[in-house]
Amino acid sequence: TKPNGIIVLPIKVNLSKLTIYTQPDCSFAFKLPKPKDHFTMPATPTASFISDPVFKYAPPKKPMVTVPARATVQDALRLFKASNVLSLPVLGSNDEFMPAGGGVHLAGLSASDASRDIEGEVVGILSLLDVVYSLSSQPRENVPELLNQQCWKLIGNCIEGQSVWAVAIGEPMKTVLEPLSKGIHRMIVLGGEHPMILSQRDVLRGLAGCDKLAQFWGSSVESQFIFTKDNIVTASVSDSVSTCLRTMRSASVQALPVVDTQGVIVANFSASDVRAFGTDDLPSMLQQNVAAFLSMAHGDLLPAPVVCTPHAHMSQCLAAMLEGRMHRIWVVNSTGVPIGIVAMTDIIAAARKHLLE
């Protein structure tokens, strides 16, 4: 049987749960769970996605998780882990704390609407990536001091945190597609019972059921020209976590493919992996090599990366992202060497282009 599309490359696996497949056009065998042929689209497809109101896709039962500006970085890290989120709106007073450098972008809202709906002013969005980038620049002995800083001071280390994006709950989805297709990963939704977060994942769930995109989901990644082919920055399995964090910061990326001595991808390292450890463990964990770090973070098992070939269907990438809660998929060549990446931003941008044609 020839696997089509999404493939995984485990290092340590329970072989009783896997089937061995050999791909004729590859020089090696992949050990992988049998892939699904098709992603199951929602039972109630919609033809009007771009004109649908935001409230149709914002998760109504998930109130926005926030953090006070005076909270420490250590407090914020605990909240990231407990809430299983990657960003936290930071609440305070703009008279007391420096606001986000890029300002607040309000779609369909006035400043008074925004301040009425949120109990406190949004100083900015603290991303887990802000914390990771800050950790990358600290020697081990300075990490405890960083963890005790007020969290608002770290806002803006990554580009997204430099601005706050908010949208009225009744605005059409067309309004949010542009920022979410250009690197903004989430927006605050105001005007409902409580503030909410609309994420790229929420938008992808809606796009999955859009009638106009049926042909798009059946096309290949390569045909859509949506994956980056140049300058793929990688980490070696022997690199320390600190080295990986510095690489991520210098390259302004959110994740790295971890490769072996042959350049074959064996794991994925991202900012979200840092959430697995308590703040007391972080100083020592940053000195571990990345393979050991990932194994400990994921229960003594080096997590297998999910990758695809350029010929994978867009629907398969969508399924991996929605069902596997992934933000990106590495594109590999026939020997398993990463040659590109497909991110949620890329898929939303390509889908938006089709919807506006």
Side-chain angles (χ1 to χ4, degrees):
T1 305
K2 178 180 177 181
N4 180 25
I6 302 299
I7 51 180
V8 295
L9 304 166
I11 295 287
K12 300 177 184 177
V13 293
N14 182 344
L15 294 178
S16 65
K17 295 182 179 180
L18 300 176
T19 307
I20 308 299
Y21 294 88
T22 302
Q23 222 171 331
D25 56 342
C26 293
S27 60
F28 64 99
F30 293 96
K31 298 183 179 72
L32 68 161
K34 189 172 182 179
K36 295 183 178 181
D37 292 330
H38 300 287
F39 174 59
T40 303
M41 296 297 181
T44 54
T46 176
S48 58
F49 179 84
I50 58 175
S51 59
D52 284 343
V54 166
F55 69 76
K56 186 173 180 179
Y57 301 100
K61 295 183 180 179
K62 288 184 63 177
M64 185 171 70
V65 181
T66 63
V67 64
R70 290 188 182 280
T72 65
V73 175
Q74 186 169 242
D75 294 331
L77 279 172
R78 289 171 178 153
L79 192 53
F80 278 125
K81 183 177 181 179
S83 304
N84 194 30
V85 295
L86 296 176
S87 67
L88 293 165
V90 180
L91 302 187
S93 167
N94 287 336
D95 294 330
E96 185 177 3
F97 303 100
M98 186 180 296
V104 179
H105 302 268
L106 304 173
L109 291 160
S110 67
S112 59
D113 289 334
S115 61
R116 181 195 64 226
D117 285 350
I118 300 179
E119 295 180 3
E121 296 177 68
V122 177
V123 176
I125 302 289
L126 179 70
S127 166
L128 187 56
L129 200 61
D130 287 321
V131 179
V132 165
Y133 280 3
S134 297
L135 287 170
S136 73
S137 63
Q138 300 295 322
R140 177 176 178 175
E141 59 272 18
N142 290 354
V143 171
E145 181 181 348
L146 171 68
L147 294 176
N148 284 312
Q149 284 188 22
Q150 292 184 352
C151 66
W152 71 273
K153 295 181 179 180
L154 273 59
I155 294 173
N157 275 318
C158 67
I159 294 175
E160 185 176 12
Q162 295 173 8
S163 299
V164 178
W165 292 78
V167 62
I169 198 167
E171 283 291 295
M173 288 299 292
K174 181 179 180 180
T175 305
V176 305
L177 280 182
E178 182 172 5
L180 293 179
S181 69
K182 294 182 177 179
I184 300 302
H185 295 91
R186 55 197 62 84
M187 297 180 71
I188 299 174
V189 179
L190 301 175
E193 184 178 341
H194 50 70
M196 297 175 286
I197 293 290
L198 179 76
S199 68
Q200 287 183 321
R201 192 182 308 280
D202 298 321
V203 172
L204 283 177
R205 287 193 187 99
L207 290 171
C210 184
D211 283 346
K212 192 174 179 181
L213 293 176
Q215 186 174 354
F216 171 74
W217 294 127
S219 63
S220 70
V221 168
E222 187 174 45
S223 70
Q224 296 300 324
F225 303 103
I226 71 165
F227 71 93
T228 306
K229 297 183 180 181
D230 301 320
N231 302 319
I232 298 301
V233 183
T234 63
S236 166
V237 288
S238 60
D239 285 344
S240 70
V241 175
S242 290
T243 297
C244 293
L245 296 183
R246 287 193 293 271
T247 300
M248 287 169 62
R249 181 167 191 166
S250 63
S252 296
V253 295
Q254 299 186 32
L256 295 171
V258 181
V259 300
D260 64 16
T261 54
Q262 304 302 312
V264 175
I265 184 170
V266 296
N268 173 78
F269 176 72
S270 68
S272 60
D273 293 309
V274 176
R275 288 183 306 193
F277 297 98
T279 53
D280 292 339
D281 301 320
L282 268 183
S284 60
M285 294 308 300
L286 294 177
Q287 308 311 311
Q288 292 276 355
N289 74 59
V290 67
F293 177 90
L294 288 171
S295 293
M296 286 183 277
H298 296 273
D300 295 325
L301 187 70
L302 188 62
V306 174
V307 304
C308 72
T309 68
H311 308 297
H313 286 178
M314 294 297 300
S315 61
Q316 292 175 302
C317 292
L318 178 70
M321 288 179 173
L322 295 184
E323 296 174 6
R325 296 194 61 79
M326 298 161 191
H327 293 86
R328 65 198 62 82
I329 297 171
W330 301 103
V331 183
V332 298
N333 65 14
S334 61
T335 59
V337 174
I339 58 173
I341 182 173
V342 176
M344 286 187 173
T345 297
D346 301 319
I347 294 181
I348 292 174
R352 174 177 177 265
K353 178 181 176 182
H354 279 265
L355 289 174
L356 296 180
E357 286 178 348

